[in-house]
Amino acid sequence: MEERRQSRPPAGSKPSPATMASQEDLRSRRPPVGLVYDDRMCRHSTPDGELHPECPDRIRSIWTKLKFEGIPQRCVVLNGKEAEDEHLASVHTKRHIKLIKGISNKEFDSRRDRVASKFNSIYLNKGSSEAAYLAAGSVVEVCKSVVEGQLRSGFAIVRPPGHHAEANEAMGFCLFNNIAVAANFLLDKHQLGIKKILIVDWDVHHGNGTQKMFYKDPRVLFFSVHRYDSGTFYPAGDDGAYFMIGEGPGAGYNINVPWEHGQCGDADYNAIWDHVLLPIAKAYNPDIILISAGFDAAIGDPLGGCCITPYGYSLLLMKLMDFAQGKIVMALEGGYNLTSLANSVFACVRTLLEEKTINGSLRGHPFKSTWRVIQQVRQRLKSFWPFLAAEIPQELLACTRKETQTQLIYNSTSDSNVEKEEQTPSQVCSANMVEGVGDVVQPFSNSSVDKDKHGEAKTTEHKTNDQDSFEGYPVPEASDSKKFSMAEYIRSIGLEDYFMEAVKRHVHGKINKKLIERGSNPIEWNDFLKHLKEEKRPPIEAISQESRMTQIANFIKSDKNVSDFFFKSVRQHVYQKINGKRKKKGNDPISWAKFNEIADDALSKNIADDAADN
Ligand code: Q9C
Ligand code: ZN
């Protein structure tokens, strides 16, 4: 079935049946959920086809997933709409608007390259102007429809992203600040009756652009949770610090939650929601919530190094739907693992639809550092929001989980401004594990990773410049040679909770299959969880690290879907890292196809080797 598509939702608060989305909406007469998708935003791409994480496939893969799941039919789908200069001018300088508009007129890509190189982390091509106008304009359009009551809520699947863009500055893959343009539009159109806007920025990077635009403005409460890593994580500097609370009349209306490190996941974000964001949202009582919805804090993202699951996102979103009468507009920002991105967006749209809840459960506790950040933020803001002065109960603070002890792959190669020049042996091993092509395809074999194998893989890959194929990582001494198991790998990239959850689901499914075969009723998921808790044998949490890891590893190996997902995430990760490093060194990127060819090749070779060994 082709999805319903129209340039504009129907006027009036009771949409006619012909334009209604789902049967349920029809019965309840609730306005439908809106989506924007427009292929023209795919025309913004790197001029020479170089690889870049912010690629057209990001929104394509989201749209493919939503279509596959039958989502568009249950929503109202809008075409993109270009922003008007007047609206852009409420946040950007005339000069910046003129510059972005003029990009597609430039006759030669080289001119555009020169412009792009003046900015931090920006590329430009012929399609950039139109895409930038569409991204900003589409967010405005969804906001307008939600406020006018034609839509209940909406998701603008847009690119380029926006939250790093400043008044006179494109940066961090962002050209116009889409969400800021939309917020100003709502505030300026007085007849819309919007006086207070909450912007929640859950992209893994700090929304520096948005923060600057509303820093002195109490009509917009800007909340950003992001990796900070002592000011080294992109965009780096003090802007994302907890003490940046706003200025003048805007003091207390800018809230930053800066993670000390990666690995943060569902439990950490949920704790921030419960102990910082939600009480403030309740007190602020916004007329609408806009979400700068980046998904680069998602599990498997190559830039973020955090691990929010789709269930985690749905929970964060659900908790926000209690405010502003559910008026929520989500605008895509970052998110660079195509699979994680599509799954996370799908979970969010399904949550907006309120048809089915997303399966999952919060397990694990926040990090100690998470409680520390919570207390820091509450302390700094308590004069503006008095209820934050209350002490968090000691029993809660005692609930913590430990950061992964092994050196993190994501930490040693993450998107941080500060490159660590000196590496510990274990970092070197980690880095080599993901960067060696042989390891890409078999990071989980229990065979030891020795450098001779590396050497072979390298020469197959780059016949001319074999030595730099490991992108500057010193080849470890023989004594550094180390066994890497799949289990260790999972733990090192913070996937443990995610897969532990999956293990439970797997067992649940198996039990139900048996029950059904025997003619009994299947056991509900919640009852199953209760059952697990009540069981006499030690709860999963109490099982030793090692055996938990083995369980997870076995589970991944046992289910083709899971292992496919897992291997694909790993490949994508390694692929982007390798090309990132190649680019830095001025080498041409390897294509995804070529990369896979090499990886598959090495895999079949490894299998052959193993067979020969046995
Ligand atoms: N050392 C968004 O997620 N990384 N932008 C540059 C330079 C830029 C991310 C690294 C990351 C930008 C919207
Ligand atoms: Zn980001």
Side-chain angles (χ1 to χ4, degrees), residues 120-121 161 163-164 172-174 203 205 234 296 303 333-336 415-417:
N120 174 340
S121 305
H163 73 155
H164 294 306
F173 318 158
C174 304
D203 185 282
H205 303 97
Y234 192 85
D296 39 14
L303 269 59
E333 300 280 0
Y336 307 101
D415 192 48
S416 166
N417 260 7

Side-chain angles (χ1 to χ4, degrees), residues 16 18 28 48 64 77 99 133 210 214 264 310 403 417 459 508 573:
S16 70
S28 62
D48 298 318
T64 304
V77 180
L99 180 102
Y133 270 80
T210 317
F214 303 109
C264 295
E403 284 86 350
N417 260 7
T459 39
H508 178 236
H573 174 77

Side-chain angles (χ1 to χ4, degrees), residues 74-88:
R74 314 212 285 273
C75 299
V76 166
V77 180
L78 311 177
N79 286 315
K81 193 174 168 208
E82 291 189 44
E84 287 173 29
D85 286 349
E86 181 204 331
H87 300 156
L88 295 172

Side-chain angles (χ1 to χ4, degrees), residues 225-405:
V225 49
H226 44 268
R227 266 185 79 174
Y228 187 64
D229 299 39
S230 317
T232 64
F233 203 75
Y234 192 85
D238 278 359
D239 282 359
Y242 76 94
F243 53 74
M244 299 297 282
I245 57 161
E247 226 174 83
Y253 296 93
N254 193 87
I255 299 170
N256 283 323
V257 176
W259 296 134
E260 292 179 9
H261 50 68
Q263 296 185 55
C264 295
D266 297 351
D268 304 286
Y269 279 83
N270 196 58
I272 298 298
W273 256 230
D274 288 353
H275 301 286
V276 180
L277 177 57
L278 300 181
I280 292 176
K282 188 169 175 221
Y284 186 64
N285 189 23
D287 299 314
I288 187 170
I289 300 178
L290 311 185
I291 304 183
S292 256
F295 294 91
D296 39 14
I299 183 164
D301 189 276
L303 269 59
C306 290
C307 48
I308 306 181
T309 67
Y311 167 75
Y313 280 114
S314 76
L315 192 63
L316 300 179
L317 175 56
M318 208 172 345
K319 289 187 172 187
L320 291 173
M321 287 164 69
D322 293 338
F323 304 100
Q325 301 109 275
K327 289 201 287 290
I328 295 193
V329 174
M330 307 183 64
L332 183 65
E333 300 280 0
Y336 307 101
N337 175 316
L338 302 184
T339 315
S340 309
L341 176 62
N343 290 341
S344 305
V345 172
F346 169 54
C348 287
V349 177
R350 232 168 66 162
T351 304
L352 290 178
L353 281 166
E354 294 174 272
E355 289 171 0
K356 278 192 209 128
T357 51
I358 310 298
N359 284 331
S361 69
L362 255 197
R363 52 171 313 288
H365 296 299
F367 291 127
K368 206 171 182 175
S369 65
T370 297
W371 289 120
R372 194 156 53 226
V373 174
I374 287 175
Q375 286 181 306
Q376 219 169 28
V377 174
R378 286 170 63 106
Q379 190 70 17
R380 187 63 192 82
L381 285 161
K382 69 182 181 196
S383 58
F384 302 95
W385 309 94
F387 46 85
L388 296 181
E391 294 287 333
I392 297 173
Q394 204 51 51
E395 305 87 82
L396 260 181
L397 298 176
C399 296
T400 60
R401 81 176 188 284
K402 276 225 165 14
E403 284 86 350
T404 303
Q405 290 310 303

Side-chain angles (χ1 to χ4, degrees), residues 5 36-42 59 79-81 134 157:
R5 189 174 267 279
V36 176
Y37 178 78
D38 196 312
D39 263 327
R40 290 176 289 169
M41 283 182 272
C42 295
I59 57 173
N79 286 315
K81 193 174 168 208
L134 283 169
I157 305 161

